[in-house]
C-alpha cells in the first residue's frame, strides 16, 4: 500500500472515530443540561406523552411503549430501551420516578424485571407536570425524527429541575458523568436564593435509599466545582445481639452485600457474626447480622463499614451537554441553565398564548361589528353564490378582515343571529387584559423570573418531600476502621525464603550476651525478620516488581520453631511469583518517601502515598525491573543520606536529594557502579545522630565500624571498601546503623539470638570482627 493511500486511510479512520465519539457522547452517554435526560429517556417520555399513556389513563403493556419509541424515535435495541424505561420507574434508583410502573420491575436485592411483554407502565404525574407541560404550545424546538416521518423535541420544557433532583450516570468516549440525586425542596430553595442574589448552595445528596453521608464538610467544594466524592454508610439499629440495617448505601444490592459479608466471615476477616438474614419485605429493608454472645458489636460494625459496601463512596462528575457540548458544571451553572431554559420556554408559551389571544380578539371585534347590522349581513350571506363570495362581499362592503369574514361566514346562521353583545364585550375585555398581561411579562425579565418561581413553587407543593439521606461529619482517622478492634502488641514478623510467614511475640527474643546459644528457630532460611506491631502493615515485594500490603494482625501466629502460614494465603501471587523483599510500615510513619534498592545497583525514590494507600489483594506494580535484576530492600526516608553496601563489601555514601521522586512504574537511577560478579546487599538510610555501621557475615561474625570513615561521594561511583569477606568469617549477609542503646535480632539457622549492639566490637573496616552466635548461620538481621 502506498504512503498516500495509507495517509488517506489514517485520515479517514481518524475522522470517522471523531464522528463516532461525538455521536456516542451527545446521543447516548451524556444527559442534556436543560432536561437532565439522555436521548433515550427523553424519547421514552415523549413517546408515552404523544401516545396518550398519561397518568389519568390505564397502564399499557411496556411492549407497546417500547414499540412506539423504537418505531418512531429511537431506532436501537429493545433491551436498551426497556432497561431505560425500567430505570425511570425504580424508586430505589430514581429519587423522583418519572414512569408509573405496574408489575415486576426488579428490586433492590438485584433481581431483574420481568420481560416487557408482562408488566405495564404509563407516565408518572410529575413527568407530565414537570417535564412535558406546555409541549402542545411548542415551547421547545423540534427536530425531524430519524426517518423524517415526524418531529420530536430537541429537549423537554423541564420546570422540574430533573438534572439536579434525579441521578444520572454514563460512560462516553474519553469522558463520563455521574450526577447525584438531591431533594426537590432544597434544589428549589437554591434556585430561589440565586434569583434573590444570594449564593446558592445544597446541603448534599439525597439518595432514594437514604443512608448516612459522613463527610458533609466536603460538599461545599463539590457544589463549587462539580466534582468530588461523598462517603455513605448504611443506617442500623442494635436489637439485643443483632445488628439490623434498615438503610444501605445507594447503588448497593442486598444480594451482593450478603454474599460479600458471608465470604468475609468464612475467611475470618470479619469475626463475631453467627448468622446473616435478609428479612426485607413490603414495609422496608431489613438486613440482620446475628452476633454471638460476648461479641464486641461496635467492633463488628466498624469491620462491616471498613470491609464491605455498607460504607461506600459516590463520586460526583457533573458533566452534561450544553448546546451539544459536554461541560463540567457546578451548582451555580446548573441553576443558571435551568433559569435560562425555563425563561425561553416561558417566552415561547407566552408568544403562543399571545397569538391565540390576538387571533380571538380579532374575531370578537369582528362579531361585535357584525352585530351592529346583523340582519343585512345575514341577508348578504344568504344571497351570495358561495361562502367564498360571501367573504369577499363582507370584506368589500363592511371592511372586515379576512379572518373576521371567514369566522362570520363559517358560523351557523342561527348562532350568528343569536349572538349576545354583552358576552362578546366581556370576552373582548378579558382578551385585552390577557394581551396586556402577556406583553408586560414579555417586556420584563423580572416578571419572567417570577413566573418561573411560581411554576417551580407549584411543582414543589405537589411533589416535594422530606430529606431521606442524613448528613454528618464523622472524622475517621486513616486506617482506624482496620485497627479499631485490634489490640496493639509489639511482635516480630518472620518471612522465609520458602514462602512462609508468621508473627511471633517480641517477648520470644530476650537479650543475650554475645556468642550465646540463642533460641531454636525454623530450619527454613529467613528472608526477612521485621520488628513491628499488630496495628502496622507489612509490605511484600516480589520478583515481578509488585507490592502486596498485608496487615500485621492478619499474619498467622507462630512460634520460634513452627507455625505461621503461607504468603500465598494472604496475597494473590501468580504461580511463578515469589517474595524477594519485605519491610514494615508503622501506622504512625510520617516519612514522605519510599526508596527501592536493587541488586544491580539501581535506586528509586517515590512518594509514599503511591504505595501505602493500596488495599488490593492482587497487588500493584511497585517498580520496573530490568531483566535479571531484583529488589534488594526497601526503606522509608525524608531527605537523609543513603549508604549502599554490596555483597563483596563495597560501600558508597551519597545525598538522597540527588534523586528526584519517580512514579510507581519507573525503574530508578544508578546508585553504585558494581564490579563484575558483585551485587547490592542492601541500602540504608543514614541517621542524623552519630552511629556506627554494623556488618554481619553468614558464619555468625559481626563488627562495628565508625561511619566517619565513609565520606559523602557522588551517586553512581564505585565507593570504598566497607568490609572484607574471608574464609574464616564468611560472606556479608546483613548490615545496619546502630548505637550502643540498640538491640538486634540475628535470625539464623538453626538458632536466632537477640543481643545488644554495645556487645558488638568496634573494629577496622578490614577486620573479621567477633563471633556473635555460636554454631549457627546468620541469614538476616533487624533492630528489636
Amino acid at each position: 500500500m502506498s504512503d498516500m493511500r495509507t495517509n488517506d486511510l489514517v485520515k479517514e479512520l481518524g475522522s470517522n472515530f471523531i464522528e463516532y465519539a461525538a455521536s456516542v457522547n451527545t446521543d447516548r452517554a451524556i444527559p442534556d443540561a436543560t432536561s437532565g435526560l439522555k436521548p433515550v429517556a427523553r424519547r421514552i417520555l415523549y413517546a408515552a406523552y404523544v401516545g396518550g399513556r398519561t397518568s389519568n389513563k390505564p397502564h399499557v403493556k411496556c411492549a407497546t411503549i417500547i414499540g412506539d419509541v423504537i418505531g418512531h424515535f429511537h431506532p436501537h435495541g429493545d433491551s436498551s430501551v426497556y432497561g431505560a424505561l425500567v430505570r425511570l420507574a425504580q424508586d430505589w434508583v430514581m429519587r423522583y420516578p418519572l414512569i408509573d410502573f405496574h408489575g415486576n420491575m426488579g428490586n433492590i436485592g438485584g433481581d431483574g424485571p420481568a420481560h416487557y411483554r408482562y408488566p405495564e407502565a404509563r407516565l408518572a404525574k410529575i413527568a407530565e407536570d414537570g417535564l412535558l407541560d406546555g409541549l402542545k404550545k411548542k415551547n421547545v424546538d423540534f427536530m425531524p425524527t430519524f426517518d423524517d416521518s415526524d418531529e420530536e423535541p430537541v429537549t423537554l420544557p423541564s420546570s422540574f429541575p430533573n438534572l439536579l433532583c434525579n441521578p444520572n450516570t454514563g460512560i462516553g468516549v474519553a469522558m463520563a458523568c455521574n450526577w447525584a440525586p438531591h431533594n426537590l425542596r432544597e434544589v428549589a430553595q437554591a434556585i430561589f436564593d440565586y434569583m434573590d442574589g444570594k449564593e446558592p448552595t445544597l446541603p448534599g445528596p439525597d439518595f432514594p435509599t437514604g443512608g448516612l453521608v459522613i463527610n458533609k464538610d466536603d460538599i461545599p467544594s463539590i457544589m463549587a466545582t462539580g466534582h468530588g466524592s461523598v462517603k455513605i454508610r448504611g443506617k442500623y439499629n442494635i436489637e439485643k445481639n443483632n445488628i439490623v440495617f434498615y438503610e444501605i448505601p445507594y447503588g448497593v444490592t442486598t444480594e451482593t452485600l450478603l454474599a460479600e459479608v458471608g465470604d468475609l466471615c468464612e475467611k475470618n476477616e470479619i469475626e463475631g457474626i453467627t448468622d446473616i438474614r435478609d428479612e426485607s419485605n413490603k414495609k422496608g429493608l431489613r438486613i440482620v447480622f446475628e452476633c454471638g454472645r460476648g461479641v464486641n458489636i461496635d467492633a463488628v460494625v466498624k469491620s462491616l463499614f471498613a470491609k464491605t459496601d455498607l460504607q461506600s463512596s459516590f463520586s460526583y462528575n457533573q458533566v452534561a451537554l450544553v448546546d451539544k457540548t459536554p461541560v463540567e458544571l457546578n451548582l451555580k451553572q446548573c441553576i443558571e441553565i435551568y433559569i435560562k431554559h425555563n425563561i425561553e420556554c416561558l417566552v415561547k408559551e407566552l408568544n403562543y398564548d399571545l397569538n391565540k389571544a390576538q387571533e380571538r380578539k380579532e374575531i370578537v371585534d369582528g362579531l361585535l361589528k357584525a352585530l351592529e347590522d346583523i340582519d343585512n349581513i345575514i341577508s348578504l350571506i344568504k344571497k351570495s353564490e358561495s361562502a367564498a363570495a360571501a367573504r369577499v362581499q363582507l370584506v368589500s362592503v363592511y371592511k372586515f378582515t379576512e379572518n373576521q369574514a371567514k369566522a362570520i361566514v363559517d358560523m351557523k346562521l342561527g348562532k350568528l343571529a343569536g349572538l349576545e353583545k354583552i358576552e362578546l364585550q366581556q370576552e373582548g375585555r378579558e382578551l385585552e387584559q390577557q394581551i396586556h398581561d402577556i406583553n408586560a411579562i414579555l417586556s420584563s425579565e423580572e416578571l419572567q423570573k417570577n413566573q418561573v418561581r411560581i411554576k417551580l413553587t407549584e411543582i414543589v407543593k405537589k411533589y416535594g418531600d422530606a430529606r431521606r439521606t442524613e448528613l454528618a461529619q464523622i472524622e475517621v482517622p486513616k486506617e482506624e476502621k482496620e485497627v479499631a478492634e485490634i489490640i496493639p502488641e509489639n511482635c516480630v514478623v518472620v518471612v522465609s525464603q520458602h514462602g512462609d510467614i508468621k508473627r511471633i511475640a517480641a517477648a520470644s527474643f530476650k537479650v543475650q550476651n554475645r556468642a550465646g546459644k540463642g533460641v531454636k528457630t525454623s530450619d527454613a532460611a529467613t528472608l526477612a525478620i521485621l520488628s513491628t506491631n499488630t496495628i502496622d502493615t507489612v509490605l511484600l515485594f516480589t520478583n515481578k516488581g509488585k507490592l502486596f500490603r498485608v496487615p500485621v494482625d492478619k499474619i498467622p501466629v507462630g512460634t520460634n520453631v513452627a507455625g505461621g502460614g503461607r504468603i500465598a494465603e494472604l496475597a494473590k501471587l501468580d504461580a511463578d511469583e515469589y517474595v524477594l523483599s519485605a519491610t514494615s510500615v508503622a501506622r504512625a510513619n510520617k516519612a514522605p518517601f519510599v526508596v527501592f534498592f536493587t541488586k544491580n545497583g539501581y535506586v528509586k525514590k517515590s512518594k509514599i502515598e503511591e504505595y501505602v494507600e493500596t488495599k488490593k489483594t492482587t497487588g500493584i506494580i511497585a517498580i520496573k525491573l530490568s531483566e535479571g535484576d531484583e529488589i534488594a530492600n526497601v526503606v522509608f526516608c525524608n531527605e537523609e543520606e543513603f549508604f549502599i553496601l554490596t555483597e563483596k563489601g563495597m560501600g558508597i555514601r551519597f545525598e538522597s536529594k540527588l534523586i528526584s521522586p519517580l512514579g510507581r512504574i519507573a525503574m530508578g537511577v544508578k546508585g553504585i557502579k558494581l564490579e563484575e560478579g558483585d551485587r547490592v546487599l542492601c541500602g540504608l538510610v543514614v541517621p542524623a545522630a552519630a552511629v556506627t555501621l554494623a556488618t554481619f557475615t553468614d558464619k555468625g561474625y559481626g563488627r562495628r565500624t565508625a561511619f566517619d570513615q565513609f565520606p559523602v561521594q557522588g551517586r553512581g561511583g564505585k565507593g570504598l571498601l566497607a568490609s572484607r569477606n574471608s574464609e574464616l568469617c564468611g560472606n556479608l549477609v546483613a548490615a545496619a546503623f546502630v548505637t550502643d542503646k540498640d538491640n538486634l535480632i540475628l535470625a539464623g539457622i538453626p538458632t536466632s539470638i537477640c543481643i545488644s549492639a554495645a556487645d558488638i566490637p568496634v573494629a577496622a573496616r578490614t577486620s573479621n570482627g567477633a563471633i556473635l552466635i555460636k554454631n549457627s548461620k546468620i541469614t538476616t538481621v533487624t533492630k528489636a
Side-chain angles (χ1 to χ4, degrees):
M1 185 181 289
S2 67
D3 290 342
M4 183 177 295
R5 291 182 64 190
T6 301
N7 290 336
D8 288 344
L9 180 58
V10 171
K11 184 177 179 180
E12 180 69 17
L13 288 173
S15 176
N16 290 346
F17 179 76
I18 291 173
E19 291 178 6
Y20 164 76
S23 175
V24 168
N25 292 334
T26 59
D27 292 343
R28 297 190 189 183
I30 309 299
D32 183 74
T34 57
S35 66
L37 297 170
K38 296 179 187 178
V40 64
R42 183 188 72 240
R43 288 164 178 161
I44 288 170
L45 296 179
Y46 183 66
Y49 175 74
V50 297
R53 325 302 182 189
T54 52
S55 60
N56 59 347
K57 302 286 181 63
H59 293 82
V60 298
K61 290 291 184 181
C62 292
T64 302
I65 298 176
I66 293 169
D68 292 341
V69 174
I70 295 174
H72 297 290
F73 306 109
H74 196 74
H76 297 283
D78 55 348
S79 59
S80 63
V81 175
Y82 184 48
L85 173 69
V86 170
R87 188 179 189 276
L88 292 172
Q90 292 173 329
D91 56 7
W92 65 93
V93 174
M94 302 292 286
R95 183 61 178 84
Y96 301 93
L98 303 176
I99 291 291
D100 179 9
F101 212 84
H102 184 249
N104 178 11
M105 59 179 172
N107 55 47
I108 196 172
D111 297 327
H115 191 274
Y116 56 68
R117 66 178 176 269
Y118 298 116
E120 300 173 331
R122 63 184 179 185
L123 285 171
K125 192 71 168 68
I126 190 173
E128 295 174 21
D129 294 343
L131 292 173
L132 299 161
D133 186 48
L135 273 180
K136 292 180 179 178
K137 296 182 180 181
K138 298 289 184 180
N139 58 355
V140 294
D141 293 334
F142 279 69
M143 63 182 178
T145 57
F146 67 92
D147 60 357
D148 293 329
S149 64
D150 203 345
E151 283 188 328
E152 64 173 307
V154 174
T155 184
L156 296 183
S158 309
S159 55
F160 167 63
N162 185 63
L163 182 68
L164 290 169
C165 289
N166 269 326
N168 223 322
T169 185
I171 300 175
V173 178
M175 67 178 61
C177 71
N178 204 28
W179 290 82
H182 297 87
N183 185 272
L184 173 58
R185 291 175 179 172
E186 295 170 354
V187 171
Q189 187 58 54
I191 294 171
F192 297 153
D193 286 344
Y194 181 82
M195 289 180 173
D196 294 335
K198 302 176 184 177
E199 189 67 22
T201 185
L202 285 176
D206 190 21
F207 298 104
T209 51
L212 171 68
V213 169
I214 65 171
N215 62 326
K216 72 172 185 178
D217 288 355
D218 295 338
I219 292 171
S221 172
I222 295 173
M223 295 301 142
T225 61
H227 60 265
S229 178
V230 291
K231 296 178 181 177
I232 321 158
R233 284 181 174 177
K235 296 174 75 173
Y236 66 96
N237 290 321
I238 304 298
E239 299 178 2
K240 295 183 179 179
N241 241 35
N242 295 338
I243 306 168
V244 181
F245 278 86
Y246 57 91
E247 291 179 4
I248 60 176
Y250 180 70
V252 176
T253 63
T254 58
E255 182 179 354
T256 302
L257 180 64
L258 295 178
E260 180 184 32
V261 175
D263 185 51
L264 291 171
C265 289
E266 286 182 6
K267 295 178 180 178
N268 293 323
E269 293 187 33
I270 295 180
E271 298 180 348
I273 296 176
T274 58
D275 191 23
I276 303 171
R277 299 189 300 276
D278 184 359
E279 298 180 354
S280 304
N281 52 38
K282 293 181 179 180
K283 295 181 180 179
L285 184 138
R286 181 179 168 87
I287 298 176
V288 180
F289 299 105
E290 187 175 318
C291 300
R293 288 189 177 182
V295 170
N296 184 339
I297 291 183
D298 288 340
V300 175
V301 171
K302 288 178 181 178
S303 293
L304 288 170
F305 285 146
K307 299 172 183 178
T308 76
D309 284 338
L310 282 168
Q311 177 174 311
S312 61
S313 295
F314 184 96
S315 297
Y316 279 74
N317 186 22
Q318 295 187 167
V319 176
L321 298 177
V322 179
D323 296 328
K324 294 189 176 181
T325 301
V327 179
E328 185 176 61
L329 302 171
N330 60 28
L331 174 61
K332 186 182 292 186
Q333 291 168 322
C334 292
I335 293 174
E336 289 171 348
I337 290 170
Y338 171 85
I339 295 172
K340 179 184 176 183
H341 176 62
N342 273 268
I343 288 177
E344 289 175 353
C345 293
L346 173 67
V347 168
K348 289 177 181 178
E349 284 187 52
L350 289 172
N351 281 320
Y352 181 91
D353 290 339
L354 179 62
N355 290 334
K356 291 292 184 182
Q358 288 173 337
E359 289 173 0
R360 179 59 185 168
K361 181 66 167 56
E362 180 184 0
I363 301 302
V364 170
D365 289 344
L367 294 175
L368 284 170
K369 183 178 178 181
L371 282 176
E372 295 175 2
D373 195 11
I374 190 64
D375 293 335
N376 290 328
I377 287 176
I378 292 174
S379 177
L380 183 150
I381 293 173
K382 286 182 177 181
K383 294 177 181 179
S384 299
E385 296 179 356
S386 64
R391 288 198 299 270
V392 171
Q393 286 293 316
L394 289 173
V395 171
S396 174
V397 175
Y398 290 94
K399 307 302 181 184
F400 287 115
T401 64
E402 289 288 346
N403 290 333
Q404 290 172 336
K406 184 177 185 304
I408 292 170
V409 172
D410 289 346
M411 191 176 291
K412 292 181 179 180
L413 290 178
K415 189 173 182 181
L416 183 62
L419 286 174
E420 295 187 11
K421 185 176 183 179
I422 295 176
E423 290 182 0
L424 288 173
Q425 288 175 337
Q426 177 63 28
E427 184 180 359
R429 286 192 292 269
E430 291 175 355
L431 288 169
E432 278 185 14
Q433 186 62 49
Q434 182 182 358
I435 292 169
H436 176 271
D437 292 344
I438 291 174
N439 282 324
I441 296 173
L442 288 173
S443 62
S444 171
E445 186 176 341
E446 285 304 314
L447 289 177
Q448 291 168 14
K449 287 183 178 179
N450 191 52
Q451 290 297 309
V452 172
R453 183 193 295 263
I454 291 171
K455 196 164 187 178
L456 179 55
T457 301
E458 293 174 354
I459 295 292
V460 173
K461 285 182 179 178
K462 281 186 178 181
Y463 306 106
D465 57 3
R467 164 172 280 280
R468 299 180 188 177
T469 300
E470 185 180 349
L471 304 175
Q473 183 63 32
I474 301 176
E475 298 294 340
V476 182
K478 183 181 177 182
E479 295 192 358
E480 181 178 314
K481 298 187 293 295
E482 295 180 10
V483 302
E485 66 271 27
I486 300 173
I487 300 174
E489 179 184 354
N490 291 329
C491 60
V492 174
V493 171
V494 180
V495 183
S496 81
Q497 293 182 5
H498 298 316
D500 295 319
I501 189 169
K502 61 184 175 181
R503 171 164 52 99
I504 305 172
S508 299
F509 295 90
K510 295 180 180 179
V511 178
Q512 299 183 27
N513 293 327
R514 186 182 76 198
K517 293 182 179 180
V519 295
K520 178 69 176 176
T521 54
S522 170
D523 291 334
T526 301
L527 176 69
I529 182 167
L530 310 171
S531 181
T532 183
N533 193 285
T534 50
I535 64 172
D536 295 336
T537 302
V538 168
L539 305 181
L540 303 173
F541 301 90
T542 73
N543 60 314
K544 293 189 175 182
K546 291 171 69 176
L547 158 69
F548 292 85
R549 182 180 182 276
V550 179
V552 174
D553 183 62
K554 301 304 179 186
I555 297 173
V557 176
T559 65
N560 288 327
V561 295
R566 299 290 295 171
I567 293 174
E569 295 174 357
L570 301 175
K572 295 181 179 179
L573 304 177
D574 294 338
D576 58 345
E577 190 172 17
Y578 50 90
V579 173
L580 286 176
S581 178
T583 189
S584 66
V585 56
R587 184 185 174 207
N589 176 65
K590 301 298 182 183
F593 301 110
V594 57
V595 183
F596 296 80
F597 299 93
T598 77
K599 291 289 187 179
N600 286 352
Y602 284 87
V603 183
K604 189 187 81 164
K605 181 172 72 175
S606 300
K607 292 183 178 180
I608 198 167
E609 291 86 356
E610 298 200 40
Y611 297 90
V612 299
E613 297 294 336
T614 178
K615 295 182 181 180
K616 293 183 178 179
T617 57
T618 53
I620 61 170
I621 297 298
I623 185 174
K624 181 180 180 181
L625 295 171
S626 59
E627 188 175 352
D629 201 3
E630 298 177 358
I631 296 173
N633 71 306
V634 182
V635 298
F636 305 100
C637 74
N638 293 293
E639 284 289 10
E640 301 94 335
E641 296 172 353
F642 293 148
F643 182 74
I644 298 178
L645 184 65
T646 74
E647 293 174 355
K648 290 187 176 181
M650 299 300 294
I652 188 170
R653 177 182 181 181
F654 60 90
E655 295 179 350
S656 65
K657 64 183 180 181
L658 298 177
I659 303 176
S660 300
L662 300 173
R664 277 197 297 112
I665 60 174
M667 186 167 66
V669 296
K670 200 71 174 177
I672 186 171
K673 186 177 181 180
L674 299 172
E675 296 180 358
E676 186 175 352
D678 198 6
R679 305 195 80 189
V680 168
L681 176 66
C682 63
L684 305 173
V685 176
V686 179
V691 293
T692 55
L693 174 66
T695 54
F696 307 88
T697 68
D698 58 357
K699 289 187 178 181
Y701 281 76
R703 62 165 173 75
R704 289 188 290 159
T705 305
F707 194 60
D708 57 11
Q709 298 183 38
F710 299 92
V712 175
Q713 298 177 264
R715 176 181 61 81
K718 291 184 178 180
L720 302 173
L721 184 65
S723 180
R724 189 187 303 277
N725 294 333
S726 68
E727 186 175 348
L728 172 66
C729 62
N731 297 321
L732 278 176
V733 291
F737 286 116
V738 298
T739 67
D740 287 348
K741 295 181 180 180
D742 290 328
N743 293 326
L744 299 170
I745 298 175
L746 282 56
I749 301 175
T751 60
S752 298
I753 192 172
C754 182
I755 66 170
S756 170
D759 271 355
I760 304 174
V762 177
R765 287 186 290 157
T766 56
S767 70
N768 290 328
I771 191 77
L772 302 179
I773 183 171
K774 284 185 177 180
N775 304 319
S776 188
K777 180 180 180 180
I778 295 177
T779 58
T780 187
V781 175
T782 190
K783 289 183 181 180

